[in-house]
Amino acid sequence: MAKIKQLSLYEVQKIAAGQVVERPANVAKELLENAIDAKATHISISIEDGGKQLIRVVDNGSGMDREDAQLCFEKHATSKISTVDELPSLTTFGFRGEALASIAAVSKVSLLTKEQSATEGLHVTAQEGTIQIEPAGCPSGTDVTIRDLFYNMPARAKFLKKRETETRHIIHTVQAMVFAYPHLHMQLFVDGKQLINCPPQDTMLQRCVQLWDATTAKHMLAIEATRSDKGISLCGAISNHQWFRYDRSGIFFLVNNRWVTNIQLGRSLLKGYNNVIPHGRYPMAAISIMINPALIDVNTHPRKEEISFAHPRTMEQLIQETIRKALEQHLSKQIKKEVSLYQPTPNTRSSSPSVSFTPASFASVEKDIALFKATLPTTATPAKTYASFNGAPQSTPTTSQEKETKTIPIIDTTQEAHTVIGQFAKTYIIIEQEDGLFLIDQHAAHERILYEQFSQQFHNMPTINLMFPQMISCSPEDLALLESHFGLFKEHGITIEPFSKDQLIIQSTPVHLKNAPLQEIVHQVIGWLKELNNVDKEQLHKTIHDKLRAQMACKAAVKAGDILTQTQMQELIKDLHVTPNRFSCPHGRPTGWMLPLYDIEKKFRRKT
Ligand code: ADP
Ligand code: MG
């Protein structure tokens, strides 16, 4: 019997569709592009369950007549070109005429559409290769609803990620469109909640204000540059040297209004920030590049996301230089501002006495701290300036003798001969022992102590309710991502809740974190969640759990530069003494170091 069978058109279409549509965000992008091609000025997109259940895009564009509405689901049906010769002068996103056909092959599509001049609209349904069309009352424009993506390709559906991940990809796509088209009104609803609402604006900087939280927007700088000899101009907004993320999700490049993911563009951006922001951190940037279309190739990727340039070096240099210049300008402006705050000129001294940096403002900070301290419940472990190690379950010593039996001391604190000489460079505790000097790095040591403490008792860590709950701003996108991980914070004694669409509120924290920069910890976790996207849930949980503990220990530990009293130093040494893994901090740096007496004597030539 013959083994070769001709596949039905429907099956062929399904297979082909998989190449165009990989995930819900691709569908969203295609539908948004169609709305833009149809000259819409207002586009609203709604998704449910990460777009797996529903993606709906409503636009007020041209709409379609009966013939077009019928044809638009056919493969290679496009209104945008008739021959390939028209490609170079193309001004629309689409031209292949395969998006709707592909989407209809792998989902259940329903479409309402009406031309401005028509008195009546149309309702079209496309499912399993059959198209039905009937008259319907509806507003001018097009309203496309995609349901049950990959319902007929279970193998494919299995590869879709969980709701949060797919949602995040869609949000990212919508944000890119918001940046690419400042003059459009765009809205995004996620599971019934409005996450993005961006009425028309003029600039990318204004788009940043709309899309991102207020704090981020404050840190954005406008950029602009032209290389007319090479037919390139660029404009946009970038974050200053004081603002960065732990992942790349705040970076957008648009080339001739098309959102592209070009590795080289990203690299040029980071080069511009070289030595300005810490390693492993990423700026936020929305950069729109306009270039002579003859100097780019956009067809290198089937979804048109990749792009190659005829003069990649020029592009790289232009981006890098523009970023450098903007950062330098910003920095010199800031320095000037600070100089004028410290050295008021004679005339400003009398006329404007209220500069923000006054002793009075310090006094109010002191007052805040005092008030904050008053919120500590008396039953909780009193938080020492250097927090102590109170009872790890593994060793809950009552006497120093008991400690001795359970751990091998790096320094024998029970030994008579040990004396804390003092603190060196406000960082190292120097201990005199019979056989030499022992130096402890106060931060590394305390970090390890807290890390182990958090590991062993994170389920019943003493926490305090903040009298002044901390507000943390973050993008709606990050908030959505974080929401399903609030339990993780709770496990670590941090009660975190959404406050508004771009603000979180922290109600309580572990005692040790009371002075820690929670904003940074929260943003760090968001970054990890994004970077660790592809690991399985259990692994993700474990990794975040470890990282969170290390981060908490790092933030809560005494810092290099903190002056410690004799008692605090003694306490720290005592705690370190009973801490497991005490030879290194959670990042692997040593906590202590011995300078043997023998070596000292050799230096002084008392010994040979
Ligand atoms: P392409 O965009 O490459 O032409 P699509 O499959 O995305 O292919 O769309 C097919 C055709 O359907 C378009 O050329 C356009 O004429 C019509 N169309 C699709 N979406 C819309 C819309 N939102 N408004 C008006 N016409 C649309
Ligand atoms: Mg299209």
Side-chain angles (χ1 to χ4, degrees), residues 38-65:
K39 306 261 178 308
T41 56
H42 188 166
I43 306 170
S44 150
I45 165 164
S46 312
I47 61 161
E48 276 169 28
D49 191 22
K52 292 183 264 186
Q53 248 174 51
L54 174 119
I55 303 171
R56 179 178 176 199
V57 175
V58 184
D59 71 53
N60 63 350
S62 64
M64 284 177 265
D65 65 12

PDB file of all heavy atoms in Angstrom, residues 38-65:
ATOM      1  N   ALA A  38      -4.633  49.584   9.034  1.00  0.00           N
ATOM      2  CA  ALA A  38      -5.978  50.054   8.654  1.00  0.00           C
ATOM      3  C   ALA A  38      -6.215  51.493   9.118  1.00  0.00           C
ATOM      4  O   ALA A  38      -7.352  51.960   9.145  1.00  0.00           O
ATOM      5  CB  ALA A  38      -7.042  49.128   9.238  1.00  0.00           C
ATOM      6  N   LYS A  39      -5.120  52.166   9.528  1.00  0.00           N
ATOM      7  CA  LYS A  39      -5.158  53.588   9.906  1.00  0.00           C
ATOM      8  C   LYS A  39      -6.033  53.871  11.137  1.00  0.00           C
ATOM      9  O   LYS A  39      -6.661  54.938  11.235  1.00  0.00           O
ATOM     10  CB  LYS A  39      -5.656  54.467   8.742  1.00  0.00           C
ATOM     11  CG  LYS A  39      -4.903  54.308   7.449  1.00  0.00           C
ATOM     12  CD  LYS A  39      -3.896  55.436   7.298  1.00  0.00           C
ATOM     13  CE  LYS A  39      -3.058  55.353   6.048  1.00  0.00           C
ATOM     14  NZ  LYS A  39      -2.366  54.098   5.789  1.00  0.00           N
ATOM     15  N   ALA A  40      -6.064  52.928  12.045  1.00  0.00           N
ATOM     16  CA  ALA A  40      -6.826  53.160  13.280  1.00  0.00           C
ATOM     17  C   ALA A  40      -6.121  54.224  14.115  1.00  0.00           C
ATOM     18  O   ALA A  40      -4.898  54.377  14.029  1.00  0.00           O
ATOM     19  CB  ALA A  40      -6.913  51.859  14.063  1.00  0.00           C
ATOM     20  N   THR A  41      -6.881  54.967  14.909  1.00  0.00           N
ATOM     21  CA  THR A  41      -6.274  55.937  15.828  1.00  0.00           C
ATOM     22  C   THR A  41      -6.466  55.492  17.275  1.00  0.00           C
ATOM     23  O   THR A  41      -5.854  56.030  18.185  1.00  0.00           O
ATOM     24  CB  THR A  41      -6.893  57.342  15.664  1.00  0.00           C
ATOM     25  OG1 THR A  41      -8.313  57.219  15.845  1.00  0.00           O
ATOM     26  CG2 THR A  41      -6.583  57.929  14.307  1.00  0.00           C
ATOM     27  N   HIS A  42      -7.354  54.535  17.463  1.00  0.00           N
ATOM     28  CA  HIS A  42      -7.609  54.013  18.801  1.00  0.00           C
ATOM     29  C   HIS A  42      -7.670  52.486  18.714  1.00  0.00           C
ATOM     30  O   HIS A  42      -8.479  51.941  17.976  1.00  0.00           O
ATOM     31  CB  HIS A  42      -8.940  54.576  19.326  1.00  0.00           C
ATOM     32  CG  HIS A  42      -9.185  54.239  20.765  1.00  0.00           C
ATOM     33  ND1 HIS A  42     -10.148  54.866  21.519  1.00  0.00           N
ATOM     34  CD2 HIS A  42      -8.584  53.340  21.592  1.00  0.00           C
ATOM     35  CE1 HIS A  42     -10.124  54.367  22.744  1.00  0.00           C
ATOM     36  NE2 HIS A  42      -9.194  53.443  22.818  1.00  0.00           N
ATOM     37  N   ILE A  43      -6.785  51.846  19.467  1.00  0.00           N
ATOM     38  CA  ILE A  43      -6.747  50.376  19.439  1.00  0.00           C
ATOM     39  C   ILE A  43      -6.814  49.863  20.868  1.00  0.00           C
ATOM     40  O   ILE A  43      -6.060  50.327  21.728  1.00  0.00           O
ATOM     41  CB  ILE A  43      -5.449  49.860  18.788  1.00  0.00           C
ATOM     42  CG1 ILE A  43      -5.265  50.483  17.403  1.00  0.00           C
ATOM     43  CG2 ILE A  43      -5.457  48.343  18.705  1.00  0.00           C
ATOM     44  CD1 ILE A  43      -3.912  50.212  16.789  1.00  0.00           C
ATOM     45  N   SER A  44      -7.713  48.928  21.081  1.00  0.00           N
ATOM     46  CA  SER A  44      -7.806  48.364  22.415  1.00  0.00           C
ATOM     47  C   SER A  44      -7.627  46.858  22.320  1.00  0.00           C
ATOM     48  O   SER A  44      -8.211  46.196  21.462  1.00  0.00           O
ATOM     49  CB  SER A  44      -9.169  48.750  22.986  1.00  0.00           C
ATOM     50  OG  SER A  44      -9.604  47.776  23.873  1.00  0.00           O
ATOM     51  N   ILE A  45      -6.795  46.315  23.188  1.00  0.00           N
ATOM     52  CA  ILE A  45      -6.562  44.869  23.161  1.00  0.00           C
ATOM     53  C   ILE A  45      -6.898  44.267  24.524  1.00  0.00           C
ATOM     54  O   ILE A  45      -6.560  44.840  25.552  1.00  0.00           O
ATOM     55  CB  ILE A  45      -5.121  44.549  22.679  1.00  0.00           C
ATOM     56  CG1 ILE A  45      -4.717  43.101  22.986  1.00  0.00           C
ATOM     57  CG2 ILE A  45      -4.080  45.457  23.259  1.00  0.00           C
ATOM     58  CD1 ILE A  45      -3.514  42.645  22.213  1.00  0.00           C
ATOM     59  N   SER A  46      -7.603  43.161  24.503  1.00  0.00           N
ATOM     60  CA  SER A  46      -7.950  42.461  25.745  1.00  0.00           C
ATOM     61  C   SER A  46      -7.441  41.037  25.640  1.00  0.00           C
ATOM     62  O   SER A  46      -7.576  40.408  24.594  1.00  0.00           O
ATOM     63  CB  SER A  46      -9.461  42.396  25.940  1.00  0.00           C
ATOM     64  OG  SER A  46     -10.031  43.654  25.739  1.00  0.00           O
ATOM     65  N   ILE A  47      -6.902  40.545  26.726  1.00  0.00           N
ATOM     66  CA  ILE A  47      -6.465  39.145  26.718  1.00  0.00           C
ATOM     67  C   ILE A  47      -6.969  38.430  27.969  1.00  0.00           C
ATOM     68  O   ILE A  47      -7.219  39.062  28.995  1.00  0.00           O
ATOM     69  CB  ILE A  47      -4.921  39.013  26.643  1.00  0.00           C
ATOM     70  CG1 ILE A  47      -4.246  39.682  27.858  1.00  0.00           C
ATOM     71  CG2 ILE A  47      -4.388  39.595  25.370  1.00  0.00           C
ATOM     72  CD1 ILE A  47      -2.832  39.188  28.078  1.00  0.00           C
ATOM     73  N   GLU A  48      -7.134  37.127  27.839  1.00  0.00           N
ATOM     74  CA  GLU A  48      -7.477  36.304  28.994  1.00  0.00           C
ATOM     75  C   GLU A  48      -6.566  35.100  29.021  1.00  0.00           C
ATOM     76  O   GLU A  48      -6.241  34.549  27.968  1.00  0.00           O
ATOM     77  CB  GLU A  48      -8.945  35.851  28.908  1.00  0.00           C
ATOM     78  CG  GLU A  48      -9.905  36.886  29.455  1.00  0.00           C
ATOM     79  CD  GLU A  48     -11.351  36.567  29.136  1.00  0.00           C
ATOM     80  OE1 GLU A  48     -11.677  35.378  28.983  1.00  0.00           O
ATOM     81  OE2 GLU A  48     -12.135  37.528  29.006  1.00  0.00           O
ATOM     82  N   ASP A  49      -6.169  34.728  30.204  1.00  0.00           N
ATOM     83  CA  ASP A  49      -5.293  33.568  30.399  1.00  0.00           C
ATOM     84  C   ASP A  49      -4.063  33.642  29.486  1.00  0.00           C
ATOM     85  O   ASP A  49      -3.769  32.707  28.745  1.00  0.00           O
ATOM     86  CB  ASP A  49      -6.079  32.271  30.139  1.00  0.00           C
ATOM     87  CG  ASP A  49      -5.285  31.056  30.604  1.00  0.00           C
ATOM     88  OD1 ASP A  49      -4.395  31.227  31.450  1.00  0.00           O
ATOM     89  OD2 ASP A  49      -5.555  29.947  30.088  1.00  0.00           O
ATOM     90  N   GLY A  50      -3.376  34.750  29.569  1.00  0.00           N
ATOM     91  CA  GLY A  50      -2.145  34.921  28.795  1.00  0.00           C
ATOM     92  C   GLY A  50      -2.356  34.887  27.299  1.00  0.00           C
ATOM     93  O   GLY A  50      -1.425  34.647  26.541  1.00  0.00           O
ATOM     94  N   GLY A  51      -3.604  35.119  26.870  1.00  0.00           N
ATOM     95  CA  GLY A  51      -3.907  35.109  25.435  1.00  0.00           C
ATOM     96  C   GLY A  51      -4.241  33.715  24.923  1.00  0.00           C
ATOM     97  O   GLY A  51      -4.623  33.540  23.775  1.00  0.00           O
ATOM     98  N   LYS A  52      -4.103  32.713  25.798  1.00  0.00           N
ATOM     99  CA  LYS A  52      -4.368  31.341  25.366  1.00  0.00           C
ATOM    100  C   LYS A  52      -5.866  31.140  25.157  1.00  0.00           C
ATOM    101  O   LYS A  52      -6.293  30.439  24.257  1.00  0.00           O
ATOM    102  CB  LYS A  52      -3.835  30.348  26.405  1.00  0.00           C
ATOM    103  CG  LYS A  52      -2.321  30.347  26.476  1.00  0.00           C
ATOM    104  CD  LYS A  52      -1.808  29.310  27.436  1.00  0.00           C
ATOM    105  CE  LYS A  52      -1.532  29.916  28.794  1.00  0.00           C
ATOM    106  NZ  LYS A  52      -0.903  28.955  29.726  1.00  0.00           N
ATOM    107  N   GLN A  53      -6.644  31.776  26.042  1.00  0.00           N
ATOM    108  CA  GLN A  53      -8.084  31.640  25.914  1.00  0.00           C
ATOM    109  C   GLN A  53      -8.681  32.689  24.980  1.00  0.00           C
ATOM    110  O   GLN A  53      -9.551  32.395  24.188  1.00  0.00           O
ATOM    111  CB  GLN A  53      -8.722  31.792  27.289  1.00  0.00           C
ATOM    112  CG  GLN A  53      -9.331  30.519  27.791  1.00  0.00           C
ATOM    113  CD  GLN A  53      -9.808  30.723  29.197  1.00  0.00           C
ATOM    114  OE1 GLN A  53     -10.533  31.674  29.472  1.00  0.00           O
ATOM    115  NE2 GLN A  53      -9.398  29.845  30.080  1.00  0.00           N
ATOM    116  N   LEU A  54      -8.188  33.921  25.130  1.00  0.00           N
ATOM    117  CA  LEU A  54      -8.771  35.001  24.341  1.00  0.00           C
ATOM    118  C   LEU A  54      -7.774  36.119  24.043  1.00  0.00           C
ATOM    119  O   LEU A  54      -7.017  36.535  24.921  1.00  0.00           O
ATOM    120  CB  LEU A  54      -9.957  35.591  25.125  1.00  0.00           C
ATOM    121  CG  LEU A  54     -10.597  36.824  24.497  1.00  0.00           C
ATOM    122  CD1 LEU A  54     -12.049  36.561  24.160  1.00  0.00           C
ATOM    123  CD2 LEU A  54     -10.497  38.029  25.419  1.00  0.00           C
ATOM    124  N   ILE A  55      -7.814  36.568  22.801  1.00  0.00           N
ATOM    125  CA  ILE A  55      -7.121  37.795  22.409  1.00  0.00           C
ATOM    126  C   ILE A  55      -8.116  38.565  21.552  1.00  0.00           C
ATOM    127  O   ILE A  55      -8.602  38.042  20.552  1.00  0.00           O
ATOM    128  CB  ILE A  55      -5.867  37.538  21.547  1.00  0.00           C
ATOM    129  CG1 ILE A  55      -4.889  36.612  22.279  1.00  0.00           C
ATOM    130  CG2 ILE A  55      -5.183  38.845  21.171  1.00  0.00           C
ATOM    131  CD1 ILE A  55      -3.732  36.148  21.406  1.00  0.00           C
ATOM    132  N   ARG A  56      -8.436  39.779  21.981  1.00  0.00           N
ATOM    133  CA  ARG A  56      -9.387  40.552  21.212  1.00  0.00           C
ATOM    134  C   ARG A  56      -8.787  41.920  20.905  1.00  0.00           C
ATOM    135  O   ARG A  56      -8.279  42.585  21.817  1.00  0.00           O
ATOM    136  CB  ARG A  56     -10.674  40.711  22.038  1.00  0.00           C
ATOM    137  CG  ARG A  56     -11.730  41.515  21.331  1.00  0.00           C
ATOM    138  CD  ARG A  56     -12.977  41.597  22.184  1.00  0.00           C
ATOM    139  NE  ARG A  56     -13.957  42.449  21.540  1.00  0.00           N
ATOM    140  CZ  ARG A  56     -14.968  43.012  22.169  1.00  0.00           C
ATOM    141  NH1 ARG A  56     -15.150  42.792  23.463  1.00  0.00           N
ATOM    142  NH2 ARG A  56     -15.814  43.777  21.518  1.00  0.00           N
ATOM    143  N   VAL A  57      -8.821  42.303  19.649  1.00  0.00           N
ATOM    144  CA  VAL A  57      -8.294  43.616  19.270  1.00  0.00           C
ATOM    145  C   VAL A  57      -9.404  44.411  18.576  1.00  0.00           C
ATOM    146  O   VAL A  57      -9.981  43.955  17.591  1.00  0.00           O
ATOM    147  CB  VAL A  57      -7.059  43.483  18.347  1.00  0.00           C
ATOM    148  CG1 VAL A  57      -6.603  44.856  17.853  1.00  0.00           C
ATOM    149  CG2 VAL A  57      -5.920  42.798  19.089  1.00  0.00           C
ATOM    150  N   VAL A  58      -9.709  45.566  19.144  1.00  0.00           N
ATOM    151  CA  VAL A  58     -10.763  46.417  18.582  1.00  0.00           C
ATOM    152  C   VAL A  58     -10.118  47.684  18.045  1.00  0.00           C
ATOM    153  O   VAL A  58      -9.376  48.352  18.772  1.00  0.00           O
ATOM    154  CB  VAL A  58     -11.799  46.784  19.672  1.00  0.00           C
ATOM    155  CG1 VAL A  58     -12.944  47.596  19.073  1.00  0.00           C
ATOM    156  CG2 VAL A  58     -12.319  45.528  20.364  1.00  0.00           C
ATOM    157  N   ASP A  59     -10.385  47.996  16.776  1.00  0.00           N
ATOM    158  CA  ASP A  59      -9.820  49.242  16.238  1.00  0.00           C
ATOM    159  C   ASP A  59     -10.900  50.085  15.572  1.00  0.00           C
ATOM    160  O   ASP A  59     -11.996  49.605  15.276  1.00  0.00           O
ATOM    161  CB  ASP A  59      -8.676  48.923  15.258  1.00  0.00           C
ATOM    162  CG  ASP A  59      -9.142  48.305  13.943  1.00  0.00           C
ATOM    163  OD1 ASP A  59     -10.025  48.901  13.286  1.00  0.00           O
ATOM    164  OD2 ASP A  59      -8.624  47.233  13.560  1.00  0.00           O
ATOM    165  N   ASN A  60     -10.581  51.363  15.378  1.00  0.00           N
ATOM    166  CA  ASN A  60     -11.520  52.256  14.699  1.00  0.00           C
ATOM    167  C   ASN A  60     -11.005  52.598  13.295  1.00  0.00           C
ATOM    168  O   ASN A  60     -11.182  53.699  12.811  1.00  0.00           O
ATOM    169  CB  ASN A  60     -11.749  53.525  15.525  1.00  0.00           C
ATOM    170  CG  ASN A  60     -10.467  54.334  15.676  1.00  0.00           C
ATOM    171  OD1 ASN A  60      -9.387  53.856  15.317  1.00  0.00           O
ATOM    172  ND2 ASN A  60     -10.571  55.543  16.191  1.00  0.00           N
ATOM    173  N   GLY A  61     -10.325  51.623  12.697  1.00  0.00           N
ATOM    174  CA  GLY A  61      -9.737  51.848  11.369  1.00  0.00           C
ATOM    175  C   GLY A  61     -10.732  51.708  10.228  1.00  0.00           C
ATOM    176  O   GLY A  61     -11.949  51.783  10.429  1.00  0.00           O
ATOM    177  N   SER A  62     -10.188  51.436   9.043  1.00  0.00           N
ATOM    178  CA  SER A  62     -10.980  51.470   7.807  1.00  0.00           C
ATOM    179  C   SER A  62     -12.138  50.463   7.750  1.00  0.00           C
ATOM    180  O   SER A  62     -13.129  50.686   7.083  1.00  0.00           O
ATOM    181  CB  SER A  62     -10.059  51.210   6.619  1.00  0.00           C
ATOM    182  OG  SER A  62      -9.544  49.890   6.731  1.00  0.00           O
ATOM    183  N   GLY A  63     -11.981  49.333   8.452  1.00  0.00           N
ATOM    184  CA  GLY A  63     -12.986  48.288   8.356  1.00  0.00           C
ATOM    185  C   GLY A  63     -12.890  47.573   7.003  1.00  0.00           C
ATOM    186  O   GLY A  63     -12.041  47.923   6.170  1.00  0.00           O
ATOM    187  N   MET A  64     -13.744  46.566   6.799  1.00  0.00           N
ATOM    188  CA  MET A  64     -13.700  45.820   5.531  1.00  0.00           C
ATOM    189  C   MET A  64     -15.100  45.697   4.941  1.00  0.00           C
ATOM    190  O   MET A  64     -16.082  45.647   5.687  1.00  0.00           O
ATOM    191  CB  MET A  64     -13.164  44.415   5.776  1.00  0.00           C
ATOM    192  CG  MET A  64     -11.669  44.363   5.983  1.00  0.00           C
ATOM    193  SD  MET A  64     -11.105  42.697   6.356  1.00  0.00           S
ATOM    194  CE  MET A  64     -11.079  42.708   8.116  1.00  0.00           C
ATOM    195  N   ASP A  65     -15.160  45.623   3.617  1.00  0.00           N
ATOM    196  CA  ASP A  65     -16.462  45.350   2.998  1.00  0.00           C
ATOM    197  C   ASP A  65     -16.654  43.832   2.919  1.00  0.00           C
ATOM    198  O   ASP A  65     -15.751  43.063   3.303  1.00  0.00           O
ATOM    199  CB  ASP A  65     -16.567  46.028   1.621  1.00  0.00           C
ATOM    200  CG  ASP A  65     -15.574  45.467   0.618  1.00  0.00           C
ATOM    201  OD1 ASP A  65     -14.971  44.409   0.911  1.00  0.00           O
ATOM    202  OD2 ASP A  65     -15.388  46.078  -0.444  1.00  0.00           O
TER     203      ASP A  65
END
